[in-house]
């Protein structure tokens, strides 16, 4: 633990001075947001948040999706820290981040990589929560509580036009078949989308 923490702090410091040298290691650094150690997850979040706030690190790709996953951290204090990072840093840089990423996040959290229009979770199986609805709900509820009505309407539109349309568009050669088993990743993703469209928030 002390060695990994020291390595995290050193890489964070190097990233400020020589960003291009450390850039390829950011996905590996962000993987510590899922570490079994509460302390390391917290240190990783604070280190990355500092880099994002100073524009040494772009909030996109693997780093972005690991932060979304971290909104379901099982430790309340760590989860509160991630929420604060979103509110005070991420959303100030990009107020539309939730509207732009919501449907991709649904696919990612369910490990649903077969959707032709939504490929965010391809290769990110380790951030799947498709067997853990309560933790997925934590992420959805936080995102919804932080969005404007306009952004919520945008998300609803994306759910229908980007996600659901691929199951019903008979003219689409990449049309998806409806899952027979709701417990799989496709079934859970569909279930989440319908729940989100029906919820009052």
């Amino acid at each position: 633990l002390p060695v990994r923490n020291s390595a995290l702090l050193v890489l964070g410091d190097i990233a400020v001075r020589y960003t291009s040298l450390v850039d390829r290691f950011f996905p590996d650094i962000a993987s510590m947001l899922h570490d079994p150690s509460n302390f390391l997850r917290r240190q990783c979040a604070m280190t990355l948040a500092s880099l994002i706030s100073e524009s040494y690190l772009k909030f996109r790709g693997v780093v972005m999706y690991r932060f979304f996953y971290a909104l379901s951290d099982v430790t309340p204090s760590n989860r509160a820290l991630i929420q604060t990072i979103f509110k005070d840093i991420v959303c100030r840089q990009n107020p539309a981040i939730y509207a732009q990423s919501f449907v991709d996040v649904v696919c990612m959290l369910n490990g649903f990589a077969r959707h032709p229009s939504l490929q965010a979770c391809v290769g990110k199986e380790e951030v799947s929560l498709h067997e853990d609805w309560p933790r997925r709900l934590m992420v959805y509820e936080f995102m919804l509580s932080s969005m404007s009505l306009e952004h919520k309407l945008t998300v609803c539109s994306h759910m229908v036009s980007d996600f659901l349309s691929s199951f019903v568009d008979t003219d689409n050669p990449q049309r998806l078949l409806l899952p027979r088993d709701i417990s799989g990743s496709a079934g859970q993703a569909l279930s989440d989308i319908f729940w989100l469209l029906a919820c009052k928030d």
Side-chain angles (χ1 to χ4, degrees):
L1 181 61
V3 173
R4 287 188 293 161
N5 182 52
S6 297
L8 174 62
L9 296 176
V10 168
L11 285 170
D13 187 55
I14 293 175
V16 174
R17 293 181 170 85
Y18 311 103
T19 306
S20 60
L21 294 179
V22 184
D23 198 50
R24 63 192 178 99
F25 295 110
F26 282 138
D28 293 323
I29 296 172
S31 69
M32 291 187 188
L33 288 170
H34 308 169
D35 196 272
S37 166
N38 290 339
F39 176 77
L40 262 186
R41 294 201 304 276
R42 190 173 186 83
Q43 285 293 98
C44 178
M46 291 190 293
T47 299
L48 293 177
S50 176
L51 295 173
I52 292 168
S53 68
E54 299 296 329
S55 298
Y56 293 112
L57 171 61
K58 299 295 183 183
F59 191 77
R60 62 188 180 194
V62 174
V63 172
M64 179 179 75
Y65 290 110
R66 288 193 183 276
F67 263 99
F68 276 118
Y69 176 94
L71 283 169
S72 70
D73 196 295
V74 294
T75 303
S77 60
N78 285 1
R79 190 164 64 248
L81 172 62
I82 298 296
Q83 291 174 349
T84 299
I85 291 170
F86 270 96
K87 290 176 182 176
D88 294 347
I89 298 174
V90 176
C91 288
R92 288 187 179 180
Q93 292 182 349
N94 181 6
I97 184 67
Y98 301 130
Q100 294 168 350
S101 310
F102 205 109
V103 182
D104 280 318
V105 170
V106 172
C107 290
M108 180 221 29
L109 292 179
N110 284 287
F112 183 42
R114 292 190 297 106
H115 199 290
S117 303
L118 303 160
Q119 294 290 297
C121 70
V122 174
K124 303 180 183 68
E125 289 76 9
E126 71 277 11
V127 292
S128 171
L129 291 169
H130 94 267
E131 296 182 348
D132 198 337
W133 163 247
R135 289 185 65 186
R136 297 200 309 274
L137 183 59
M138 288 181 189
V139 179
Y140 301 151
E141 287 184 333
F142 173 77
M143 293 173 73
L144 289 170
S145 69
S146 305
M147 293 167 60
S148 67
L149 178 58
E150 178 184 357
H151 286 163
K152 290 178 182 178
L153 291 173
T154 298
V155 169
C156 287
S157 175
H158 287 324
M159 288 179 185
V160 175
S161 62
D162 295 341
F163 187 91
L164 294 177
S165 64
S166 292
F167 290 93
V168 298
D169 186 358
T170 55
D171 295 327
N172 185 351
Q174 293 182 302
R175 180 190 176 193
L176 295 172
L177 297 177
L178 288 171
R180 295 182 178 180
D181 183 3
I182 195 173
S183 65
S185 60
Q188 287 296 294
L190 261 175
S191 178
D192 287 7
I193 289 291
F194 285 130
W195 182 89
L196 288 161
L197 286 170
C199 79
K200 296 179 180 180
D201 294 331

